[in-house]
Every structure is written in structure tokens, then in C-alpha cells.
Amino acid sequence: MLLLALAFTVAFVLLLYMVSPLISPKALKLAGAHVVDLVHACCLTPALVTGGSSGIGKCIAIECLKQGAFITLVARDENKLLRAKKEIEKNAINDKQVVLCISVDVSKDYGQVENVIKQAQEKLGPVDMLVNCAGFAVSGKFEDVDIDCFGKLMEVNYLGSVYPSRAVIHTMKERRMGRIVFVSSQAGQVGLFGYTAYSPTKFAVRGLAEALQMEVKPYNIYVTVAYPPDTDTPGFQEENKSKPLETQLISETSNVCQAEHVARVIVKDATQGNFNSSIGSDGYMLSSLTCGMSPVTSITEVLQQVITMGLFRIIALFYLGSFDSIVRRCMIQREKSEHENKSK
Ligand SMILES: *[C@@H]1O[C@H](CO)[C@@H](O)[C@H](O)[C@H]1NC(C)=O
Ligand SMILES: *[C@@H]1O[C@H](CO)[C@@H](O)[C@H](O)[C@H]1NC(C)=O
């Protein structure tokens, strides 16, 4: 009986491997492709100013340019855009390549976003890959975060991904090809202390990506959701200044990544058409744990998820336990110091 079950399992796994190529999308070649990259203004800060760090969006533009793509860079701040353009252009591999810059706020007015995409397509041809990087983070306790912040974050992080995607989808469907990348976050896989305003916007992005993938798959369009960990970017430095102690201690349990590395992984996963894109061992664990009913782009990945999920849930208990104890410790300390202040 056991032998039979074993034989059945082996046959099943073999079968899955055999059909695997049918499921995996064909890779997109970036040479000559038109990539539209939407970034947040602070992502464009020159590397010199911030001590080596630059945003994920800018690094993605550089990575795509290195692979021969034509780039349209979209952000709000025109001056920063032009400075970033100079820096990005240095990475071109041939002199035909173009870095087109257009300034617009991607989360404000859909008509404007549509216009920008039209301009870009007229100059550089139809969009092959769209990268939605516009986003920012705010941390703070639920009751401390400015109430307007909840809406603002949703606007930039969520609508800022909806509008550009909506503007390119028609042409992509017509051409029956394309890639759309959404940049979520590890905070879009797990809700952590201090991220009541930020996390939901990143969860929303994932919901959008899953639903959209089901709609566009027959048109040979593939969606990628990236879940980067804390990454050393100007935006991260900015957010770090106001982080509650708890959030800081929880963040410190994992390493800070370099934007160049994150960009490389995202571009690789997007060109291959992988739905999930994660970084590092924490990222691997989180992606496995939260894969849920997400689209399948690789049978090997599914097998890994099936095998590892239970074990990862056990490991997660230890993480959750240590996070809870950080939060409790901070609360006790805070109450103690308040008490001392009062009695002074
Ligand atoms: C974040 O800020 C804290 C102090 O507020 C500092 O100790 C820590 O090194 C900073 N982290 C990073 C990655 O810059
Ligand atoms: C998620 O994507 C990464 C690559 O970005 C890959 O190494 C990993 O296996 C994937 N994880 C899951 C659970 O699918």
C-alpha cells in the first residue's frame, strides 16, 4: 500500500515536471523593448547626496537599460527627473538607447496619466513592460499617524499603480504581450507594528495583481508582484527617522537590502513572467507562507510551496513570538518611564 502511494507520488511529480514548460511563460527580451518605469520623486535623489543609496525604481531603470531597453521614466518632480536621467543614461550599452523623462503625479488625475502613456508610446513605441514603483512609507502607531495619511498612502501606493496599469492594458491586450510589475513589500505579506497605514496599501496592490493576472493571462500578459524587504533607499532613510521603537526593533531582526540587488531580482522575475518576486531567506519564507491561491507560473515553485509550508508556519511562530515580546517589553518600559516622569 505504502509502495503504491509512493509510486503514485513519484509519477505525479514527474508528470508535473513534464507539463512545467507549458505553464511557464516565455521570457521577455529587454533588448529593444520599451520599459515604462514609474517612480516616486525621492527615489531619484542623486546617489552622492544620500551616501550611496538610491531608490528601487531608479535601479530598475538602470538594470533595464543595461539589458538594452528603451526607458520612459515617470515621476512628479521634473528637476529630480532630469538629474536622474543623466545618471541613468551613463549605463546605456548602445547609442540608440533613449531615456525619456515625463513628469506627472501618477496618483492624481487618470486623464493625465493616460496622456503621459500616450506621449511615451508615440515617442518610443508600445510599452512592453510597465514597472509601478511609485510609493512611500509612513510608520507610527495607529493613533499617532496623521489621519490624512491613510488616504494619501492609498492614493500614491495603490491608485498610483492602478492608473498607469489601466493606461497601458489596452495596447498590451491588442499586441498580446506585455509585463506589468507591481512593487508591494514584505509589509504587504504580513502586518507589523507601526504599519497600520502602510501595510493595507501594499496588500491592496497584491489583490489588484491577482485579479488582473487572471484577466490578462489569455492575452499573454504576465503580472509580477515584488515583495522587497527593508531596502536602503532615500525613502527608507526618510521613513526611518520617525519609526516607533517597536518597528525599529522588529525591522532589525532582518537585514537591510541594497536597491541594486532588489532591482536585479525584480527585473529577472518580471522578464521571466514569475508572479512572485521575493528576496532573501525571509522573503522566500514569506512568499511560501502567503502564496494562497496566487497564480502559478512555475511547477517547481508550487512543489516547493507544498513541501515547505507547514514547516515555515512553525518557524513563523517563533518570529511572531519574538515580535510580540518586543511590543510588550516596549509597552512596559514606556509605562514605567511615564510613571517616573509623573512622580517627579
Ligand atoms: C534608523 O534610525 C536609527 C536611529 O533613529 C538608527 O539607529 C538606525 O541605524 C537607522 N537604520 C538605518 C538602516 O539607517
Ligand atoms: C518567489 O520568488 C523568488 C525569486 O524572486 C523565488 O526564489 C522563490 O522561490 C519564490 N517563492 C515562492 C514561494 O514561490
Side-chain angles (χ1 to χ4, degrees):
M1 191 61 201
L2 192 69
L3 228 73
L4 199 70
L6 201 71
F8 182 76
T9 312
V10 169
F12 182 65
V13 168
L14 270 177
L15 184 76
L16 284 180
Y17 267 106
M18 271 156 58
V19 298
S20 183
L22 296 180
I23 291 173
S24 302
K26 230 173 96 197
L28 174 81
K29 290 221 167 47
L30 280 182
H34 179 192
V35 176
V36 174
D37 190 7
L38 303 123
V39 300
H40 198 250
C42 75
C43 152
L44 298 169
T45 314
L48 289 172
V49 176
T50 54
S53 62
S54 71
I56 294 174
K58 189 162 89 178
C59 290
I60 287 180
I62 291 175
E63 184 62 28
C64 291
L65 202 70
K66 279 182 181 166
Q67 295 188 30
F70 290 66
I71 312 285
T72 300
L73 200 63
V74 184
R76 210 177 36 193
D77 189 321
E78 192 163 0
N79 292 327
K80 281 185 182 166
L81 258 176
L82 291 177
R83 258 181 287 148
K85 176 182 156 91
K86 282 207 189 99
E87 204 186 322
I88 293 168
E89 269 174 344
K90 286 182 204 144
N91 297 280
I93 52 169
N94 65 54
D95 48 13
K96 286 200 205 78
Q97 278 174 290
V98 175
V99 180
L100 179 68
C101 289
I102 309 180
S103 74
V104 72
D105 188 337
V106 291
S107 61
K108 273 281 166 334
D109 173 10
Y110 177 65
Q112 268 185 12
V113 177
E114 221 176 18
N115 249 333
V116 159
I117 297 291
K118 214 167 111 205
Q119 269 179 52
Q121 308 218 74
E122 272 162 15
K123 293 222 171 84
L124 298 181
V127 179
D128 296 291
M129 183 160 118
L130 173 75
V131 187
N132 293 298
C133 278
F136 72 108
V138 168
S139 58
K141 271 188 285 182
F142 187 47
E143 66 271 29
D144 293 345
V145 177
D146 183 16
I147 197 71
D148 295 331
C149 229
F150 288 84
K152 185 76 201 146
L153 273 165
M154 208 62 182
E155 222 169 63
V156 177
N157 295 0
Y158 174 65
L159 292 181
S161 294
V162 173
Y163 291 174
S165 308
R166 177 75 185 264
V168 299
I169 203 71
H170 187 66
T171 319
M172 281 189 178
K173 275 179 138 178
E174 259 177 13
R175 298 175 68 218
R176 296 194 180 249
M177 66 172 293
R179 295 283 195 270
I180 298 180
V181 181
F182 294 103
V183 179
S184 180
S185 160
Q186 283 188 356
Q189 297 177 305
V190 51
L192 296 173
F193 189 106
Y195 287 128
T196 49
Y198 177 67
S199 262
T201 68
K202 295 300 188 178
F203 272 76
V205 163
R206 169 173 174 157
L208 168 66
E210 281 195 13
L212 181 63
Q213 177 65 91
M214 197 179 279
E215 282 189 23
V216 298
K217 196 169 169 188
Y219 296 88
N220 191 33
I221 300 168
Y222 287 92
V223 174
T224 298
V225 192
Y227 303 101
D230 279 345
T231 306
D232 186 16
T233 62
F236 176 72
Q237 299 291 354
E238 192 57 40
E239 182 226 328
N240 191 35
K241 287 179 197 157
S242 63
K243 253 185 197 169
L245 182 62
E246 288 91 337
T247 314
Q248 227 168 80
L249 294 173
I250 289 171
S251 301
E252 276 168 12
T253 57
S254 69
N255 294 330
V256 177
C257 256
Q258 289 308 307
E260 289 80 8
H261 175 62
V262 174
R264 230 173 289 131
V265 174
I266 292 177
V267 171
K268 187 176 130 267
D269 282 318
T271 50
Q272 287 180 353
N274 294 339
F275 184 76
N276 136 76
S277 177
S278 66
I279 283 136
S281 48
D282 292 340
Y284 181 76
M285 188 174 95
L286 277 171
S287 283
S288 257
L289 273 172
T290 61
C291 65
M293 288 275 280
S294 63
V296 176
T297 40
S298 146
I299 287 296
T300 351
E301 213 172 82
V302 170
L303 283 175
Q304 286 171 19
Q305 287 160 354
V306 169
I307 292 163
T308 55
M309 210 181 255
L311 175 69
F312 283 163
R313 182 58 176 155
I314 294 173
I315 297 175
L317 297 181
F318 289 95
Y319 274 92
L320 290 173
S322 88
F323 295 166
D324 282 344
S325 90
I326 288 173
V327 173
R328 201 172 318 111
R329 231 176 31 234
C330 286
M331 183 191 78
I332 291 169
Q333 251 164 27
R334 203 165 280 142
E335 281 181 346
K336 219 159 90 190
S337 70
E338 268 167 24
H339 190 73
E340 277 164 10
N341 280 346
K342 252 185 227 151
S343 56
K344 256 180 209 163

